[in-house]
Amino acid sequence: MQKQSFCLKLIPVLFLAMFGTLQAQKYSFDNVLSMRLNSSGAIMNGNEVSGYFFFYNVEKAEKGKMNYLLNILDNNLNKVASKPITDDKGILLKEGIYNGKSLMLKFFNNKEDKYTFRQYDLTGEKKGTKTLPVSRLDYAAFGQQQQDGEGDEMQTLFAVPGKGYVNYSNDTEKGALSQSFYTIDFIPEDESTTKGWKYISKPKEKVWEIG
């Protein structure tokens, strides 16, 4: 597969909204196999953009695997970290969010029907990993988005400033027309000092549960 170069223009949305106009910033990537729109995002510290993250395919690895690269930039587009990652072919970065202490990236693994959460500090050092199953409704919604060529419309990963992260998902008991419920998982900033927890709502007859 031919590698490509990307030149991205970034305009911090907050400052654009406040001042009306702002010169776009540019950053170029070389030797990229592919990149999706939701493979990048702003690192928000409160209401300020403190940097950006980018995740993209670099080259094929051993059978069934792919070499990826995570780049972290500061708010002036200076590269502060570049971390190679080897994982299953076809994993997708669904969301990324910063809680003031660390960056959490949520990946979808179609091969194993699971989400993998990878936690990094802003120097690119990995702080932790957690996996959660993909619900029936999440899987169906993701398949529809892929078919339509659209990205995620609903945020499911939320930051708890300085304390961790919350992941939200919908599911059904048996199938698309059965009773639904939602699950909330708390992923602590540091599992050695704080315990995570899970809350599962109780399905109500003929009522779809939405958190």
Side-chain angles (χ1 to χ4, degrees), residues 12-13 29 43 48 63-65 69 75 84 94 131 161 182 202:
V13 177
F29 296 94
I43 298 173
E48 296 184 357
K63 185 177 180 180
K65 299 291 184 179
L69 195 64
N75 59 349
K94 300 284 286 181
T131 60
Y182 64 89
K202 295 181 179 180

Side-chain angles (χ1 to χ4, degrees):
M1 186 179 296
Q2 185 178 3
K3 295 185 180 181
Q4 308 172 50
S5 296
F6 289 85
C7 182
L8 303 178
K9 293 185 177 181
L10 304 173
I11 302 178
V13 177
L14 175 67
F15 298 120
L16 183 61
M18 293 175 60
F19 300 108
T21 59
L22 187 67
Q23 184 178 2
Q25 296 173 288
K26 298 180 181 180
Y27 189 83
S28 296
F29 296 94
D30 296 317
N31 300 321
V32 178
L33 281 180
S34 64
M35 192 169 186
R36 302 171 77 248
L37 180 61
N38 62 341
S39 294
S40 63
I43 298 173
M44 303 297 298
N45 193 358
N47 292 325
E48 296 184 357
V49 177
S50 60
Y52 304 91
F53 64 88
F54 299 90
F55 178 81
Y56 49 91
N57 300 4
V58 178
E59 60 185 0
K60 292 182 179 179
E62 58 189 83
K63 185 177 180 180
K65 299 291 184 179
M66 180 72 73
N67 291 328
Y68 303 90
L69 195 64
L70 171 65
N71 276 348
I72 298 176
L73 314 180
D74 64 19
N75 59 349
N76 292 315
L77 301 189
N78 298 309
K79 186 187 295 184
V80 296
S82 184
K83 293 294 179 180
I85 299 172
T86 299
D87 207 323
D88 291 336
K89 184 179 180 180
I91 66 166
L92 297 174
L93 175 59
K94 300 284 286 181
E95 296 179 66
I97 197 164
Y98 182 65
N99 73 350
K101 288 187 175 181
S102 63
L103 175 68
M104 182 67 82
L105 303 180
K106 178 181 179 180
F107 294 89
F108 172 74
N109 188 322
N110 183 53
K111 183 178 179 180
E112 299 186 9
D113 294 343
K114 68 179 181 180
Y115 290 121
T116 300
F117 298 81
R118 291 190 173 98
Q119 184 184 9
Y120 297 89
D121 64 23
L122 293 189
T123 68
E125 291 302 314
K126 191 174 179 181
K127 298 185 65 177
T129 302
K130 184 177 181 64
T131 60
L132 290 175
V134 178
S135 72
R136 298 178 185 87
L137 292 182
D138 285 353
Y139 196 88
F142 177 74
Q144 187 62 48
Q145 289 161 2
Q146 289 293 95
Q147 182 177 341
D148 297 340
E150 299 176 355
D152 293 337
E153 296 182 358
M154 179 178 178
Q155 180 181 357
T156 59
L157 181 63
F158 302 88
V160 181
K163 296 183 179 180
Y165 302 87
V166 167
N167 183 72
Y168 167 87
S169 65
N170 278 312
D171 205 349
T172 60
E173 290 189 311
K174 296 181 179 179
L177 299 180
S178 64
Q179 299 173 352
S180 70
F181 58 94
Y182 64 89
T183 301
I184 297 174
D185 287 276
F186 172 66
I187 305 172
E189 173 69 23
D190 185 352
E191 289 190 328
S192 67
T193 59
T194 306
K195 188 176 180 179
W197 50 261
K198 179 189 295 286
Y199 171 79
I200 302 176
S201 70
K202 295 181 179 180
K204 296 181 180 179
E205 186 175 1
K206 297 181 181 181
V207 176
W208 278 49
E209 287 282 339
I210 300 178

